[in-house]
Amino acid sequence: MDTLKLLRDYFPTAIYTGKCLVFISEEWRVELTEHKDGDFSKGASQPSTIRVRISKRALSGEFIPGFYEDFQLPVLGELAEQIEKYVQQAIGSNLRENGE
């Protein structure tokens, strides 16, 4: 969860639930979760994996899971930049400016 806490600074419109970062708009839900490798033989040098899930709101009002992508970049600034680009391309909106 350490990486998610640090990513909050890059995405000020995100809501931190204690287990994930969430961005919600009228049409989209973007959720970032952190997954650590359970293989302790690899050492602590591997960065956490951040899974970005994107869901679209259906006509019924429920969010339908769409797709996800895993990011594993060691530099926090680059990680945030790549996540932002990915989401921007997927939903056509900027996370930092429009509160998506």
Side-chain angles (χ1 to χ4, degrees):
M1 302 299 162
D2 298 331
T3 305
L4 288 181
K5 289 178 182 177
L6 295 171
L7 284 171
R8 280 191 300 190
D9 295 335
Y10 284 90
F11 304 114
T13 60
I15 299 164
Y16 181 63
T17 68
K19 75 174 203 172
C20 66
L21 278 178
V22 180
F23 306 87
I24 299 177
S25 73
E26 294 204 17
E27 294 182 45
W28 300 98
R29 175 187 169 98
V30 177
E31 182 178 294
L32 280 63
T33 53
E34 183 173 359
H35 303 272
K36 296 194 184 245
D37 191 351
D39 185 354
F40 297 107
S41 66
K42 293 181 181 177
S45 63
Q46 287 283 67
S48 296
T49 299
I50 302 297
R51 177 164 288 171
V52 179
R53 292 182 185 274
I54 298 180
S55 304
K56 184 165 177 65
R57 190 181 303 266
L59 293 176
S60 65
E62 295 182 35
F63 286 103
I64 307 299
F67 45 93
Y68 71 89
E69 189 66 46
D70 291 340
F71 292 82
Q72 192 175 29
L73 299 167
V75 179
L76 188 66
E78 182 182 6
L79 174 64
E81 180 182 300
Q82 293 304 312
I83 289 172
E84 185 173 20
K85 276 198 230 178
Y86 173 75
V87 173
Q88 196 168 1
Q89 291 294 317
I91 69 174
S93 185
N94 190 312
L95 287 173
R96 294 168 61 100
E97 294 175 4
N98 296 333
E100 297 285 320

